Amino acid sequence: MKRRVRGIHEFFARDPERADWEIFGRKSHPLSRRGFVAGLASFSALVGARVAYPATVPQGLIPASLADSTESFTIEGKDGLTLLNDRPLNAETPAHLLNDDVTPANRLFIRNNGIPPLSVDPKSWTLTIDGESVEHTKKYTIEELKTRFENIERQLVLECGGNGRAEFDPPVSGNQWTLGAVGCPQWNGVRLKDVLEDTGFNHDSAVYVAFYGADTHISGSRDRIPISRGVPIKKALDEDSMIVWGMNGGELHEMNGHPLRLVFGGWPGSVSGKWLTRVSVRDVVHDGPKMASPSYRVPCEPVAPGSVVEDEDMCIIHAMPVKSLITSPKSGIKHSVGSNLDIRGHAWSGDASIENVKLSLDFGRTWTNAKLEPPANRMAWQHWEHTISFPTTGYYEVWARATDDLGRTQPMVLPNWNPKGYLNNACHRIAVYVS
Ligand SMILES: Nc1nc2c(c(=O)[nH]1)N[C@H]1C(S)=C(S)[C@@H](COP(=O)(O)O)O[C@H]1N2
Ligand SMILES: [Mo]
């Protein structure tokens, strides 16, 4: 790692090109991306160009051209990620670096709650399966997992529950993720279900399946563990819930859980335990660190922005909401008016699949369908593309909006404010300067 940067707040504060943020009088707050400016004149001034479709620019919209940070950092085996925090380490991937169909290991975000294990030996690593619903505790080496159970490969979306948190207004504490705490690698491993069944666990009493990992608490205390979460037994027994030792045919990156982790596609990343040493089949809803309110919970019923919500009114997040990303081109590009522009991206929706992706060039007045591919397998993100041309010169925004097969679609503005800033699935938009 080269530098230390604490959050995207600092990018705006330090980058002279982004001094514009100060005109909002809230420079400590990156959220202004979907916040408010005074009117079309200031919108034009901000983007430094004439705005195409001036009539439909929503009142007070902050231009997408100011949204993306250019900061990047270096960690071995990772390329172009943006560092949010280095203790614990948290880094996200800029949208245009997520353009691959299958996310390469060097482009997968990192979300650590504690300190990763210092030395890892895959040969001696073991996974223990225990819990109230397991009569005889079992232990497996990675070699045993590889040889005793059917090996499977799945492309599964891993997205942090707090992805998009930076946009919440009023702001909420936690890593200020913008767009890139998400990826969809191909995972190599076995079905969690097959291993659980091998223990002969008690189907009648099993309620929840929890993970324990080898990372240690940020305080240095040996008596505390950073995180131990889980999923209801139904999700644990899903055909596509996995224990994995590899990514894209290679090893897991050391920050992504090498040598063993869980992957539950489409659920908040926090359930996909890294550096996996133990899985417990519980006869109650798991009560490990970061299971209790307010962690990874949202108000059971919608609340007004800024509300204080009692612990008992917070519900555990299950599947993640419908969402899409524009991964090509990069926001802010210059394009010439006569030529076509290829737009590309991905879309995903928890346990469901995507029905359509629509694009708008006129701030949401009209929408056209993008060409959408079927998923490689359940809970893989789906690729979409579209070729567009711009009728005039000026400042444009391309907006993308996905709808899933249950009819759920993405909101244009920040949805359901919640105290911890989870589940922001507002539409992604990019800026294009046409000349
Ligand atoms: N043992 C352990 N597992 C963990 C975490 C952690 O800090 N420790 N972080 C969780 C969270 S909050 C997320 S979003 C994902 C991130 O996975 P990644 O770092 O491989 O992208 O891992 C989850 N599993
Ligand atoms: Mo997360």
Side-chain angles (χ1 to χ4, degrees), residues 113-148:
N113 287 269
I115 305 163
L118 281 178
S119 68
V120 159
D121 175 17
K123 284 210 172 64
S124 59
W125 194 271
T126 57
L127 172 64
T128 299
I129 314 272
D130 63 8
E132 297 93 344
S133 296
V134 175
E135 202 181 339
H136 304 290
T137 297
K138 283 217 174 190
K139 211 176 221 183
Y140 304 90
T141 62
I142 296 177
E143 190 58 25
E144 281 168 336
L145 293 175
K146 285 184 176 174
T147 52
R148 291 202 34 207

Side-chain angles (χ1 to χ4, degrees), residues 162-178:
N163 197 21
R165 176 178 292 137
E167 285 191 308
F168 278 86
D169 189 12
V172 293
S173 61
N175 287 302
Q176 297 297 303
W177 304 110
T178 64

Side-chain angles (χ1 to χ4, degrees), residues 3 28-29 33 46 73 79 83 106 110 119 179 267 269 278 306-307 330 337 363 377 410 415:
R3 294 174 304 95
S28 63
H29 184 209
R33 258 180 299 155
L46 283 176
F73 81 108
D79 184 17
L83 181 65
N106 66 354
I110 301 168
S119 68
L179 299 158
W267 282 45
R278 182 178 150 208
S307 300
K330 185 180 174 179
V337 69
F363 303 102
N377 51 252
Q410 294 182 256

Side-chain angles (χ1 to χ4, degrees), residues 45-61:
L46 283 176
V47 302
R50 191 183 64 80
V51 179
Y53 300 117
T56 52
V57 174
Q59 185 62 37
L61 185 77

Side-chain angles (χ1 to χ4, degrees), residues 108-114 158 160 211 213 215 227 255-256 261 269-270 272-275 296:
L108 184 64
F109 75 101
I110 301 168
R111 197 292 182 242
N112 291 345
N113 287 269
L158 182 72
C160 181
F211 76 79
D215 46 342
I227 183 171
M255 291 297 144
N256 300 121
R261 76 175 299 172
S270 56
S272 293
K274 304 194 281 188
W275 311 291
Y296 305 104

